[in-house]
Amino acid sequence: MTLNVKTPHSSETLENERTKATFSIEEMDRFINGDEFVALREKLLAIMRSEPDIFDQKSNYFMARTEKMEKALKQEKRAIELFREGRLKFEEIPMLFNMLDWHSPYHFARGIPGAIEVQGTKEQAEVFAKPVRNLRALGCYAQTEMGHGSNVQGIETTATFIEETDEFEINSPTLTSTKWWIGSLGVVANFAFVMAQLIIKGKRLGAFPIIVPIRSTEDHQPLPGITVGDIGPKMGFPTMDNGFLRFDKVRVPRFNLLQRFINVSRNGTVTVPSDVNPKIVYSALVSARAHLINDMGIQLAKGVTVATRYTAIRRQFGEPGKFESPVLDYDIVQYRLIPLIAKAYTTIGMNHEFDRKYKLTMEDVKRDDFTTLQEMHAITCSLKKWTSDTTVYGIDTCRHLCGGHGYSIFSGLNEFFSSTYQNIIWEGDNFVLAKQTASYLVKSAFAISRKEKADSNDSINIVRKFMNIDPRIALEKLYSWSEMSAEQIANNESVLLDMLGIRLWHLVHKLVVKVYRDGQKWDESSVASQGIATAHSEYIVCLYFGRHINQLPQNSNLRPILLQLLRVTAISGLLRNTGDLFMLPKKAKITENLITGLETEYMKAIKSVRGQAVPLVDALRIPDEKLNSSLGKYDGNVYEDYMKRALDEPLNRKGSGEEIRKRFYKNYIERTLKDGLDQKSSKL
Amino acid sequence: MDSVSTQVTLAKERDNATFDPNLMDLFINGEAWVNTRGKAIDFVRQESETFDMSDIYFLSREGELNKILKQEKRVAELIKQGKLGNEDALAITYIQDASGPYRLHRSMFMPTLERQATEEQKKVFLEKARNYEIIGCYAQTEMGHGSNVRGLETTATYIQETDEFEVDSPTLTSTKWWIGGLGVAATHACVMAQLIIKNKNYGVYPIVVPIRSTVDHKPLPGVSVGDHGPKMGFNTVDNGFVNFDKVRVPRFNLLQRYITVDNQGNVTIPSDVDPRVTYSTMVFVRSGIVNNMGKELSKAVTIAVRYTSVRRQFGDDPNKPENPVLDYPIVQYRLIPLVAKTYMMLGMSHEFYANYERCRMAIEKNNDFSLLKEMHAVSCGLKKWCSDTTIYGVDTCRHVCGGHGFSLFSGLNTAFANLYPNIIWEGDNFVLAQQTARYILKVAENSMNSSPIESDDPTSQIFKKFKYDLPKRKISNNKLWNSEITPQTVVSNEQLLLNILAYKVAHQAYTLATKINVDKQSWNDSLVAVQILSTVYSEYMLCHYFYKHLGKLSQFNKPGSDKLASPLSTLMKIGALGFLLRNTGELYDLPEETGISNHKIIDGLETEYLNLIKSARKIAVPLVDALGIPDEKLNSSLGRYDGNVYEDYMTRALSEPLNREKMGDELREQIFKRYIEPVTKHAKL
């Protein structure tokens, strides 16, 4: 019986785990998160900790939606004061809210200046964007409609040119044309960046952006012809005022149509400027996805921090006469959790290389050079899918690993899961994005097979390599694993990259055959596209993460564990659907034995990381403020904190809680217990 | 661009029906449930003032509890008057799509008394419980202890001087936690505690402890009790904590059917009691989950299928309406197999339940436990499979609804959050898979040792059919299949599909058993294979029981019933083929002589699979209509029967508190004055 054994306190267990670290936590933090990020994080935490009455988040879990919204607005107000005092930069405010682990209702308003600068002329940027940069005007991005999402050309809102008055008339002709989901619209914004069908002289010209004032700058009341409101509660994002918006023939000056890509003259003549390339708009989509990819690593880091610390101290079963074992000691727990730690590191680590490439592409675009944009588009599509899928379902696994207590709001993982979820849907649904990446790879591979021109970059070169046409390499060299044991392969990241590469090539090759030989329609290829996009991102994240690790000196004490994490990510990808490996050509010598061997090596690699699990999540340095979790607290005082939070539940509070309970009892419970009874019975 | 109204689109989809949805409902849900469900629907519609749930999405936790308690009070009242039974109460909970604080009183407190109390104790506790004179909860898990019941820390120590037990919580981690009904409602708790008599620990037993006064409902002396705060879902239930500071209760309160303690502290364990009885309780609870999951996934697929049929996006011709998103292969690929799995779970549950009943009767009537082990293995495996499939199926349904799936008005978010604990409670799914696999490996091992397999349960049948040649390490049957293997023969023959699925189970079980027994691979190194084995086995069992239920169609003598066979067979094939192709690595892994493990067949099966899915697309709306989920349970703008999706969505949005007249105006005014105006004022435009 375990009853008589005094189990060590959870904080003691956690301290013990920390003594096992084989590397410096500080160095790891700086290397994986980057110096710039570390400095910003510390600056923001100092602000939050110095003003707890505004920034303390512990009580949020008991608040109604409008209370949460109000609290976030209060925090935003303070942030703007700090911004005006010069203590915070405009672009630092989102990270402040990231550390607070929710969103400001101004979040989407902050994206508006950028959108105006892409679509508008210099003059328009000066008039419309600048006030928002100073947070003197608040905009929102009104594209999606109740009945229309991904297909921008299908939107119904119209902007009709009225030559008599030199105005546009904005109108919502149907119920389904109501603008919907618009962030920062429900209560905040006073103007909207509206995507509308441009109609001039009876001719439809497609969807274009136009600036429409929606609330009075005096008293914030909706302007005439405007119907606006909040769309109601959602799965997550409680602080965000996603809203709806309808226009009843609202007039705005012609100047409000953003005219960088289209000019409308006084008499309604439409011209398209010859000096701008419409691909710039396309680069805006790439930017939005790149930001999302940037954000995913830190979110998954929160999930694994909570789950790792908690499973390290939670005890269950064990040998008689001993303490129960920490659940993290069970293989099935490690099997689910350790690869997520590896993927959190991979996502954050690869992002440095990704961000570098992304910035180079954006520089090129500014110089009107669009050669690298296509691959960047393919990469952002597949990485957006992979990082968001991995993060959202990774957080879900972390919650499940925490057992019953994962289900409590105080785990910190539930509202968090809900508010991270939409990343798989917005900025292009993940299932739709996969087709874009697959199409780029398949078309390029087909071109190569016909000896036509194709791009030369990380994505295409690996496919080209295994097509092995020109130059042709000897097979034993091409198949770098062919003379190796599973153990040797599992410990060699460059061979693992090759294996991820041949698998990608083969999936692409199969679809090339189906599309170009068998005439399968692209639409019918959407199922096969999913596997291609995933295989592509698994190759790219490992390639990029490897490059980042290679910046470390050979003798760095960070290297061994980081390489091990990279290998775990790589093997996890390889074994995701072993059918993809079995299917490879026989000459590649990826045999059943080898696959089974890799499965064994995978488990070995996972187990080898177990000892470093707590130091690894410590080094990600997610502060207790962002965790907002009883289970993941740095000091390991899990159960004490949990009890304290439970006692703070409104139903339990002195006074107010007693009132509620008394009401429940009098109105319902007492009636259940006593109605229809003769007085004498029942006294237990 | 023309558009077509959502109502018209949905009505057109209904014209595609090749069968009578009402008849299908009767066959797949069963007449008994269709009747009970109908009665519950009538009831909540008649008393809509109390039972309408459309405003639930705006309520605070306190508001939710208040609403559900009002409903609980009404239902309890009618139960007392004999106008509703426990079955009806369950059906009402189902239609309302929300559980209340009395749920555990019905589902755990009373059943525990029924099974573990003596007749005398039943008179005192159970009768009052049935009459709602006391409200109970079942207090097992503690803050620091879940799955390992033997690790519980709460003690019940016998005090001979006063002939009482002293119930005590010695540590913080021993605080009872997660106890449904405890937070605000319960008067009594059935507490699982370490029984200590004369310094000897007898293990964990149930004891009834009064926790709140029956006069004023205040906590009794020594009892600290409360609600443990908000959760991911289930916020209409008052899961609570309780801590005992040396609370005394009479010796009588220890439930004594399986242990007797006299006033000298002598303990006797009745000899006619088989310890496996407690084990059968777990089987009972898990079977309940297995039987419920199909009914829950029904809600999600109904919403997703109806909404994706009316939601339009992109199209080839700018002069025509955009295409319904359900016309896109990638949407069908994610959604149609879930419709198939819903049907399979519903059909399976009839046969599975019948088997469970057979097992229970054998125990109760003849003290015959021979069927229990297999029942236990199947119930663990299916509990895992059905709950995983349902919870992540609901998630997929939410995702195929696109952005609007993220709105609470989709009805899918509360469903996902409320169903989620099914993958954790009553045995975490990962732990249960190990129990299932252990049993299958045992049967495989017996078969390898040529011990005769006497039982004739579905598991034994697999290993009787496929024998193993240990030296050659492969299944030894000369002729495996009755027909040639081509993609077409496989998809046109349900029996063949079943055989292949069974073969896969046997192959994986024998291979793993050999690795463990002969090659001495450790259990820890086998854990991944163990999870897969449990899945493959559950997939087979699901198909086996569903196919058995399809066999009943010939006796289902109702006009039009012949039209049901074809869609049901398509659904079964989609389900079974989906299982074969889940990870094609498992197929490639089969020996060559099966004729299946080659590219040509596997590629061919993938094509057939997509074709079957496409063929079911046409009848998707009638298929979900036939599941018979009323709008009340859907509580969804997107899934409404009449297809008035966007109108309903707008109506609900307008009743968001921030938009309401007066109250909303004041809220917004306050926000503007306090936060927006001070920031934007002095605009230097």
Side-chain angles (χ1 to χ4, degrees):
Chain A
M1 211 66 332
T2 50
L3 191 62
N4 301 320
V5 187
K6 184 97 176 70
T7 313
H9 191 266
S10 48
S11 58
E12 196 184 325
T13 307
L14 211 51
E15 275 317 304
N16 257 334
E17 292 280 348
R18 292 188 169 121
T19 60
K20 298 181 197 163
T22 59
F23 56 88
S24 150
I25 305 287
E26 278 68 25
E27 275 178 45
M28 182 65 97
D29 176 25
R30 283 205 306 278
F31 177 71
I32 197 72
N33 288 314
D35 290 330
E36 202 183 318
F37 177 82
V38 171
L40 175 59
R41 182 188 67 206
E42 295 307 318
K43 170 177 150 180
L44 296 172
L45 285 174
I47 290 172
M48 283 159 58
R49 286 170 188 167
S50 67
E51 303 187 35
D53 50 328
I54 295 174
F55 295 113
D56 185 88
Q57 298 285 69
K58 283 200 239 12
S59 60
N60 294 1
Y61 294 136
F62 304 118
M63 289 180 175
R65 181 166 170 237
T66 46
E67 292 172 303
K68 289 179 182 169
M69 197 181 271
E70 187 158 353
K71 182 164 179 184
L73 280 163
K74 193 172 165 188
Q75 293 168 341
E76 175 72 44
K77 179 167 168 266
R78 181 64 188 136
I80 294 171
E81 285 164 10
L82 293 168
F83 160 67
R84 295 202 171 133
E85 290 164 20
R87 290 171 63 195
L88 266 184
K89 292 188 193 130
F90 182 80
E91 57 278 5
E92 289 174 346
I93 302 177
M95 189 49 70
L96 172 69
F97 280 92
N98 188 316
M99 288 298 133
L100 293 165
D101 209 41
W102 67 9
H103 293 80
S104 161
Y106 287 21
H107 182 79
F108 293 97
R110 264 189 281 275
I112 289 301
I116 294 173
E117 281 152 9
V118 169
Q119 298 269 2
T121 62
K122 287 227 163 66
E123 195 193 349
Q124 288 178 317
E126 185 66 23
V127 174
F128 297 125
K130 207 172 162 199
V132 192
R133 286 220 184 271
N134 294 322
L135 294 157
R136 297 293 183 190
L138 299 165
C140 63
Y141 186 83
Q143 178 170 310
T144 52
E145 297 176 355
M146 201 181 210
H148 309 277
S150 302
N151 183 15
V152 181
Q153 291 311 322
I155 60 172
E156 296 177 77
T157 304
T158 54
T160 310
F161 184 57
I162 312 290
E163 200 181 335
E164 296 71 45
T165 58
D166 198 20
E167 290 175 310
F168 282 103
E169 185 175 278
I170 317 296
N171 196 35
S172 309
T174 59
L175 174 62
T176 47
S177 74
T178 309
K179 292 290 175 188
W180 204 269
W181 280 116
I182 315 306
S184 304
L185 168 66
V187 298
V188 167
N190 45 31
F191 76 89
F193 177 112
V194 176
M195 291 299 284
Q197 297 287 352
L198 190 61
I199 301 174
I200 297 175
K201 297 183 178 165
K203 203 175 151 199
R204 269 175 183 267
L205 299 167
F208 284 91
I210 186 161
I211 301 294
V212 187
I214 53 169
R215 286 189 177 99
S216 148
T217 46
E218 283 307 308
D219 61 3
H220 213 57
Q221 290 300 311
L223 295 170
I226 300 283
T227 310
V228 60
D230 183 282
I231 63 163
K234 302 158 298 251
M235 176 188 179
F237 257 63
T239 51
M240 183 55 64
D241 60 334
N242 294 79
F244 64 84
L245 176 61
R246 292 185 54 78
F247 305 99
D248 182 13
K249 304 204 165 88
V250 172
R251 297 280 180 97
V252 295
R254 175 168 53 92
F255 179 76
N256 286 25
L257 177 75
L258 295 182
Q259 305 203 20
R260 187 165 172 204
F261 299 101
I262 189 167
N263 291 149
V264 178
S265 73
R266 176 64 190 88
N267 62 7
T269 312
V270 177
T271 48
V272 178
S274 57
D275 58 335
V276 283
N277 191 319
K279 279 186 184 158
I280 290 172
V281 182
Y282 187 62
S283 76
L285 281 177
V286 170
S287 294
R289 288 177 195 139
H291 284 123
L292 191 153
I293 294 163
N294 266 306
D295 189 41
M296 287 297 94
I298 188 172
Q299 303 300 86
L300 182 54
K302 167 172 168 168
V304 297
T305 302
V306 173
T308 304
R309 289 190 186 145
Y310 179 63
T311 54
I313 66 98
R314 173 72 175 190
R315 291 167 184 274
Q316 201 156 281
F317 296 104
E319 290 169 49
K322 288 190 176 168
F323 315 132
E324 291 183 293
S325 309
V327 295
L328 186 53
D329 282 353
Y330 292 95
D331 287 29
I332 195 68
V333 172
Q334 294 170 21
Y335 179 74
R336 294 152 71 200
L337 182 55
I338 305 285
L340 288 174
I341 298 177
K343 286 170 190 172
Y345 266 84
T346 306
T347 308
I348 298 171
M350 74 90 197
N351 192 60
H352 296 283
E353 170 73 3
F354 166 73
D355 198 49
R356 190 182 65 82
K357 294 212 140 209
Y358 162 73
K359 283 179 178 142
L360 287 176
T361 300
M362 289 300 124
E363 288 301 312
D364 289 348
V365 167
K366 271 192 194 144
R367 292 192 311 267
D368 270 350
D369 172 0
F370 298 97
T371 42
T372 57
L373 186 60
Q374 223 186 347
E375 192 212 8
M376 189 40 72
H377 174 61
I379 287 184
T380 47
C381 286
S382 85
L383 289 192
K384 186 268 177 179
K385 174 179 161 68
W386 188 86
T387 55
S388 60
D389 278 346
T390 303
T391 298
V392 170
Y393 292 102
I395 294 168
D396 180 59
T397 299
C398 290
R399 165 169 61 194
H400 190 172
L401 281 164
C402 292
H405 295 330
Y407 196 67
S408 165
I409 290 286
F410 309 140
S411 70
L413 296 175
N414 292 307
E415 292 198 341
F416 178 63
F417 171 81
S418 300
S419 293
T420 312
Y421 191 85
Q422 72 283 358
N423 287 294
I424 63 177
I425 299 170
W426 66 13
E427 304 301 348
D429 185 277
N430 283 358
F431 283 88
V432 178
L433 292 185
K435 282 161 73 176
Q436 313 255 349
T437 306
S439 144
Y440 174 66
L441 295 171
V442 166
K443 282 177 184 155
S444 303
F446 182 62
I448 294 167
S449 72
R450 294 166 55 111
K451 309 233 153 98
E452 287 164 4
K453 198 173 165 304
D455 288 354
S456 173
N457 52 44
D458 291 329
S459 303
I460 300 305
N461 290 352
I462 189 70
V463 174
R464 186 183 277 119
K465 174 174 174 178
F466 287 100
M467 288 176 79
N468 202 24
I469 305 174
D470 181 27
R472 205 179 275 272
I473 320 173
L475 290 189
E476 63 275 16
K477 219 178 137 204
L478 182 66
Y479 302 141
S480 54
W481 54 86
S482 51
E483 301 299 323
M484 286 182 161
S485 69
E487 191 180 358
Q488 288 168 319
I489 295 170
N491 286 294
N492 188 323
E493 46 289 343
S494 77
V495 173
L496 285 170
L497 269 176
D498 270 347
M499 288 182 76
L500 287 166
I502 191 175
R503 184 193 50 177
L504 172 62
W505 157 73
H506 191 247
L507 290 169
V508 170
H509 167 73
K510 270 184 64 174
L511 192 54
V512 168
V513 171
K514 282 215 167 113
V515 170
Y516 292 102
R517 193 194 68 193
D518 306 343
Q520 179 172 293
K521 280 195 242 149
W522 262 113
D523 215 28
E524 305 286 328
S525 308
S526 52
V527 176
S529 298
Q530 306 302 319
I532 292 179
T534 306
H536 172 256
S537 43
E538 283 165 343
Y539 171 74
I540 293 288
V541 294
C542 290
L543 180 73
Y544 284 6
F545 185 34
R547 283 183 192 157
H548 186 60
I549 296 173
N550 275 333
Q551 309 217 331
L552 283 167
Q554 283 301 325
N555 61 357
S556 159
N557 66 19
L558 307 180
R559 260 187 103 91
I561 185 70
L562 285 171
L563 285 173
Q564 193 67 346
L565 293 173
L566 167 60
R567 292 174 200 132
V568 169
T569 303
I571 309 175
S572 157
L574 272 178
L575 297 175
R576 181 174 38 78
N577 180 350
T578 49
D580 291 344
L581 297 179
F582 278 105
M583 194 168 75
L584 291 168
K586 284 235 156 54
K587 61 186 179 188
K589 292 194 192 159
I590 295 180
T591 60
E592 192 185 328
N593 266 341
L594 184 60
I595 294 168
T596 318
L598 280 174
E599 279 169 345
T600 309
E601 292 303 320
Y602 182 47
M603 204 60 221
K604 271 162 68 181
I606 286 170
K607 280 187 202 169
S608 77
V609 176
R610 155 68 182 96
Q612 298 302 305
V614 170
L616 278 171
V617 299
D618 282 354
L620 293 169
R621 280 287 166 85
I622 306 297
D624 276 358
E625 285 84 350
K626 181 172 169 72
L627 296 179
N628 205 0
S629 163
S630 295
L631 309 184
K633 265 176 75 86
Y634 181 83
D635 66 10
N637 283 325
V638 170
Y639 296 115
E640 292 78 0
D641 188 72
Y642 198 7
M643 190 62 177
K644 214 170 123 198
R645 290 189 190 246
L647 288 174
D648 202 25
E649 151 68 41
L651 287 166
N652 301 331
R653 288 182 196 161
K654 276 224 160 70
S656 62
E658 281 159 15
E659 286 301 311
I660 302 170
R661 293 200 310 272
K662 203 162 147 192
R663 194 152 36 83
F664 285 171
Y665 178 64
K666 285 286 165 208
N667 290 344
Y668 312 116
I669 300 167
E670 187 177 34
R671 300 274 57 81
T672 301
L673 295 169
K674 296 185 179 163
D675 278 0
L677 274 190
D678 27 335
Q679 294 302 321
K680 58 184 186 318
S681 83
S682 171
K683 225 177 211 171
L684 273 173
Chain B
M1 212 176 315
D2 291 328
S3 61
V4 188
S5 90
T6 49
Q7 299 92 298
V8 171
T9 307
L10 208 54
K12 278 198 177 144
E13 290 280 349
R14 293 193 167 113
D15 292 342
N16 293 339
T18 56
F19 56 88
D20 173 3
N22 292 323
L23 199 60
M24 181 67 98
D25 184 12
L26 225 45
F27 179 71
I28 200 71
N29 283 309
E31 212 162 334
W33 172 244
V34 170
N35 291 337
T36 312
R37 186 187 67 199
K39 187 177 165 194
I41 296 172
D42 289 345
F43 171 75
V44 302
R45 285 181 187 166
Q46 267 161 25
E47 306 208 2
S48 61
E49 210 174 301
T50 307
F51 287 88
D52 176 72
M53 295 291 270
S54 53
D55 65 346
I56 190 90
Y57 301 128
F58 303 119
L59 297 182
S60 66
R61 174 102 201 283
E62 183 197 331
E64 282 185 89
L65 275 171
N66 187 64
K67 187 178 183 83
I68 205 86
L69 274 167
K70 193 172 177 186
Q71 297 175 2
E72 287 278 35
K73 169 182 161 263
R74 178 64 180 146
V75 170
E77 200 171 283
L78 292 167
I79 290 176
K80 282 191 191 188
Q81 294 168 9
K83 290 178 185 157
L84 288 177
N86 266 337
E87 284 295 302
D88 299 314
L90 275 174
I92 290 166
T93 301
Y94 174 78
I95 299 301
Q96 297 298 91
D97 214 37
S99 301
Y102 298 177
R103 172 188 163 120
L104 276 295
H105 174 69
R106 287 189 281 267
S107 70
M108 284 302 286
F109 185 68
M110 289 198 280
T112 307
L113 291 172
E114 273 159 22
R115 279 189 294 262
Q116 309 230 26
T118 62
E119 290 309 312
E120 205 192 340
Q121 288 176 319
K122 283 185 190 169
K123 280 216 179 74
V124 175
F125 297 119
L126 187 57
E127 278 182 20
K128 289 202 168 64
R130 284 190 178 135
N131 204 29
Y132 287 78
E133 289 168 52
I134 61 174
I135 296 166
C137 62
Y138 181 80
Q140 178 173 310
T141 51
E142 297 174 357
M143 201 181 209
H145 308 277
S147 303
N148 185 13
V149 180
R150 297 202 309 174
L152 294 178
E153 295 178 79
T154 304
T155 53
T157 310
Y158 183 59
I159 312 289
Q160 200 175 331
E161 296 72 46
T162 57
D163 198 19
E164 289 174 311
F165 281 104
E166 185 174 278
V167 181
D168 192 48
S169 311
T171 60
L172 174 62
T173 46
S174 73
T175 309
K176 292 289 175 187
W177 206 269
W178 282 115
I179 316 306
L182 174 62
V184 298
T187 59
H188 287 67
C190 176
V191 177
M192 295 298 280
Q194 301 283 357
L195 189 62
I196 298 172
I197 298 171
K198 297 182 183 167
N199 286 324
K200 190 177 163 193
N201 189 330
Y202 287 85
V204 173
Y205 283 89
I207 185 163
V208 175
V209 184
I211 50 168
R212 286 190 177 95
S213 148
T214 46
V215 177
D216 62 3
H217 213 243
K218 290 264 191 299
L220 294 170
V223 174
S224 310
V225 59
D227 180 282
H228 66 52
K231 297 154 298 216
M232 176 190 179
F234 247 74
N235 285 309
T236 47
V237 176
D238 55 336
N239 294 78
F241 63 85
V242 63
N243 201 286
F244 302 102
D245 182 13
K246 303 202 163 75
V247 172
R248 297 280 181 99
V249 296
R251 175 168 53 90
F252 180 79
N253 285 27
L254 177 75
L255 296 186
Q256 306 202 20
R257 182 157 163 206
Y258 299 117
I259 187 167
T260 312
V261 180
D262 70 13
N263 62 8
Q264 302 300 309
N266 297 317
V267 177
T268 39
I269 309 245
S271 59
D272 62 332
V273 174
D274 193 302
R276 287 175 290 184
V277 168
T278 31
Y279 193 58
S280 75
T281 308
M282 292 190 291
V283 174
F284 163 77
V285 178
R286 285 177 197 137
S287 302
I289 296 176
V290 170
N291 290 330
N292 278 335
M293 288 295 100
K295 293 197 182 83
E296 298 296 342
L297 187 52
S298 293
K299 165 174 169 164
V301 297
T302 301
I303 294 169
V305 167
R306 286 189 187 149
Y307 179 62
T308 54
S309 347
V310 304
R311 173 73 176 189
R312 291 169 184 274
Q313 201 155 280
F314 295 104
D316 310 319
D317 185 345
N319 297 314
K320 282 188 179 160
E322 295 180 290
N323 300 330
V325 296
L326 188 54
D327 283 354
Y328 292 99
I330 193 67
V331 175
Q332 296 166 10
Y333 180 75
R334 293 151 72 200
L335 187 49
I336 302 290
L338 286 175
V339 177
K341 287 172 188 170
T342 304
Y343 267 83
M344 292 175 87
M345 281 193 272
L346 292 172
M348 167 277 287
S349 73
H350 300 289
E351 300 301 320
F352 174 73
Y353 188 70
N355 241 15
Y356 167 76
E357 279 294 295
R358 211 168 298 138
C359 170
R360 195 176 63 94
M361 293 314 272
I363 295 173
E364 282 182 13
K365 294 253 157 71
N366 308 322
N367 216 22
D368 168 9
F369 286 85
S370 60
L371 300 172
L372 186 60
K373 272 194 172 169
E374 200 243 7
M375 201 62 215
H376 177 247
V378 183
S379 66
C380 287
L382 283 179
K383 185 268 181 181
K384 173 182 160 67
W385 191 89
C386 293
S387 58
D388 277 348
T389 301
T390 298
I391 276 100
Y392 294 101
V394 173
D395 181 59
T396 299
C397 289
R398 165 168 62 192
H399 192 171
V400 297
C401 290
H404 295 332
F406 197 67
S407 165
L408 285 202
F409 309 142
S410 72
L412 294 169
N413 295 307
T414 40
F416 176 78
N418 289 340
L419 288 168
Y420 196 83
N422 283 292
I423 63 177
I424 299 169
W425 64 22
E426 305 307 341
D428 184 274
N429 281 359
F430 283 86
V431 178
L432 292 186
Q434 297 186 30
Q435 310 228 9
T436 302
R438 268 186 212 280
Y439 176 78
I440 310 165
L441 289 170
K442 193 90 208 141
V443 179
E445 213 176 290
N446 287 342
S447 165
M448 282 157 73
N449 297 336
S450 325
S451 339
I453 301 176
E454 274 160 23
S455 35
D456 202 34
D457 53 58
T459 311
S460 306
Q461 283 167 15
I462 301 173
F463 295 93
K464 276 184 188 169
K465 178 176 279 170
F466 299 108
K467 291 285 177 196
Y468 197 57
D469 182 340
L470 185 55
K472 287 191 183 151
R473 295 202 173 193
K474 59 164 71 168
I475 285 170
S476 54
N477 301 36
N478 283 327
K479 188 167 165 19
L480 280 170
W481 325 114
N482 292 322
S483 65
E484 190 202 351
I485 295 282
T486 69
Q488 291 72 32
T489 54
V490 173
V491 295
S492 58
N493 185 342
E494 287 109 333
Q495 194 61 58
L496 180 58
L497 269 168
L498 271 177
N499 279 342
I500 297 173
L501 288 167
Y503 179 92
K504 231 175 108 187
V505 175
H507 172 74
Q508 290 193 6
Y510 284 132
T511 309
L512 187 57
T514 310
K515 279 186 185 162
I516 291 172
N517 296 324
V518 182
D519 306 341
K520 303 297 170 201
Q521 176 172 301
S522 74
W523 181 254
N524 255 344
D525 284 334
S526 313
L527 281 178
V528 179
V530 155
Q531 296 291 324
I532 296 170
L533 179 58
S534 163
T535 301
V536 169
Y537 171 77
S538 306
E539 288 167 343
Y540 169 74
M541 282 299 162
L542 180 80
C543 292
H544 166 81
Y545 281 124
F546 181 61
Y547 190 59
K548 214 167 157 192
H549 187 62
L550 294 195
K552 302 274 162 72
L553 195 53
S554 54
Q555 301 147 39
F556 188 68
N557 274 325
K558 299 217 158 69
S561 61
D562 52 317
K563 301 259 173 59
L564 305 183
S566 161
L568 286 169
S569 152
T570 304
L571 293 172
M572 160 136 189
K573 289 169 187 168
I574 291 173
L577 218 48
F579 299 150
L580 280 180
L581 298 169
R582 177 174 39 75
N583 176 355
T584 50
E586 288 171 26
L587 283 187
Y588 282 109
D589 194 37
L590 298 180
E592 222 174 296
E593 65 265 23
T594 57
I596 299 162
S597 57
N598 60 69
H599 304 221
K600 234 178 128 181
I601 298 289
I602 293 173
D603 279 356
L605 288 176
E606 278 177 338
T607 308
E608 294 296 335
Y609 182 52
L610 294 178
N611 289 340
L612 278 169
I613 287 173
K614 208 184 271 182
S615 77
R617 174 328 172 202
K618 286 192 210 74
I619 51 168
V621 170
L623 279 173
V624 298
D625 285 352
L627 296 169
I629 310 298
D631 278 355
E632 283 83 352
K633 182 171 176 75
L634 299 178
N635 205 358
S636 163
S637 296
L638 309 185
R640 282 172 68 93
Y641 182 84
D642 65 9
N644 279 328
V645 170
Y646 296 116
E647 292 79 357
D648 186 74
Y649 199 6
M650 190 53 141
T651 308
R652 289 190 191 244
L654 288 174
S655 54
E656 151 68 38
L658 281 166
N659 302 331
R660 287 182 201 162
E661 260 179 46
K662 202 152 182 305
M663 168 195 189
D665 294 341
E666 281 164 19
L667 270 170
R668 293 195 315 272
E669 170 83 11
Q670 182 181 320
I671 286 173
F672 176 64
K673 288 283 172 209
R674 283 191 189 160
Y675 309 110
I676 299 176
E677 193 178 35
V679 169
T680 52
K681 259 288 141 92
H682 322 296
K684 291 173 210 145
L685 281 172

